[in-house]
Amino acid sequence: MELYEYEVMHAVEDRMWWYRGLRRLVATQLARALAHSPAAGPVLDAGCGTGGMLRVLGASVAGRPTLGLEFNPVAATMARTKADRPVTSGSVNELPIGDGLLGAYVSLDVLCHAGVEPALALKEAHRCLGPGAIAVFNLPAYGWLLSAHDRRVHNNRRFTRRQARRLLAESGFRILRSSYWNTLLFPLMLLHRLIERDDAESDVRDYPAWLDAFFSAALAIERAAIGAGLSLPFGGSLLVVATRA
């Protein structure tokens, strides 16, 4: 990802509706899964960007300390400062972590990146997780939705639920939950993708307060539905919660 995109993310991620909604959803699902997990190691935010998710997770989740990993050293420094947590510069394709040491692995829009080999990254995640440990993945949905924003941030793949579940199962994970989300706003997203130009501005930006509140309310409804056990049938993103078999 270009340094400029990291700078934009660093500036707006704590204010933008999509990041706030994603992180609340992930934090809730992660804590719920860890409450039933026997694995006691730390929680790794793998590909933590500029640290927004790591800050939301805080110093620990369900009694397990948190730490981050980020490929870009400048972004890693931003994350370390923002989250006040240990952050190492490194690749998810080759984790600098010993076998079976992690209690949980969080991966938010990382497997989609051009510099990541999904099967290799999942093999590394599986290696570093202890038996019964938890992995939470967020993935952009549907390859036909690749956009100008995806190209700008070097995403070159998007996933269906079936593709993601098969990839995780082949890597030794057992799926606990999977659901699309950003469902209520999906028609607006689809319209935006259909009319946007190749030089369209980044999706990561400040939105008018009323629009941010509207979008946030839609995601809150979805978060409640997923929390109640529902799996949404489509959406702009895909959440998968799995355990290391």
Side-chain angles (χ1 to χ4, degrees):
M1 201 161 90
E2 303 296 334
L3 180 58
Y4 171 75
E5 293 295 334
Y6 281 115
E7 292 171 342
V8 171
M9 180 193 300
H10 183 58
V12 308
E13 62 180 338
D14 292 336
R15 301 191 299 269
M16 185 181 162
W17 60 276
W18 188 86
Y19 282 112
R20 296 198 318 271
L22 166 65
R23 288 162 184 171
R24 289 170 184 168
L25 176 62
V26 168
T28 299
Q29 292 296 317
L30 175 64
R32 182 174 296 182
L34 280 174
H36 303 285
S37 170
V43 176
L44 176 68
D45 185 355
C48 65
T50 56
M53 183 74 240
L54 198 54
R55 180 158 73 176
V56 169
L57 293 177
S60 65
V61 181
R64 298 158 175 89
T66 59
L67 63 154
L69 176 91
E70 171 54 43
F71 182 76
N72 185 290
V74 176
T77 299
M78 294 177 182
R80 199 175 297 117
T81 300
K82 177 178 287 186
D84 193 25
R85 300 301 301 148
V87 177
T88 299
S89 181
S91 171
V92 296
N93 293 328
E94 189 175 359
L95 293 174
I97 297 171
D99 295 357
L101 294 182
L102 294 177
Y105 179 96
V106 177
S107 173
L108 306 186
D109 291 354
V110 176
L111 296 184
C112 54
H113 195 271
V116 173
E117 299 178 40
L120 180 56
L122 289 174
K123 180 181 178 181
E124 278 290 277
H126 189 274
R127 176 184 67 79
C128 294
L129 288 166
I134 300 300
V136 180
F137 300 88
N138 190 72
L139 304 165
Y142 308 124
W144 49 268
L145 273 179
L146 277 169
S147 66
H149 175 76
D150 286 311
R151 290 188 292 273
R152 185 176 290 111
V153 298
H154 298 178
N155 289 345
N156 70 351
R157 61 184 72 90
R158 300 173 73 96
F159 298 82
T160 64
R161 175 157 42 193
R162 179 178 295 180
Q163 289 170 337
R165 290 176 66 95
R166 183 174 64 248
L167 183 63
L168 283 163
E170 289 172 350
S171 300
F173 290 92
R174 180 169 62 87
I175 309 300
L176 301 177
R177 290 288 316 272
S178 64
S179 177
Y180 290 103
W181 65 279
N182 209 357
T183 301
L184 296 175
L185 300 175
F186 189 71
L188 293 178
M189 177 182 177
L190 180 57
L191 177 62
H192 176 66
R193 292 293 186 257
L194 289 173
I195 65 175
E196 75 173 354
R197 304 190 311 268
D198 287 342
D199 61 347
E201 65 177 322
S202 174
D203 291 346
V204 180
R205 61 184 187 275
D206 283 317
Y207 287 72
W210 67 270
L211 190 58
D212 190 280
F214 173 73
F215 289 165
S216 295
L219 295 190
I221 293 170
E222 295 180 16
R223 188 164 61 251
I226 294 171
L230 298 179
S231 293
L232 305 182
F234 63 89
S237 294
L238 174 64
L239 180 77
V240 182
V241 182
T243 185
R244 182 197 185 280

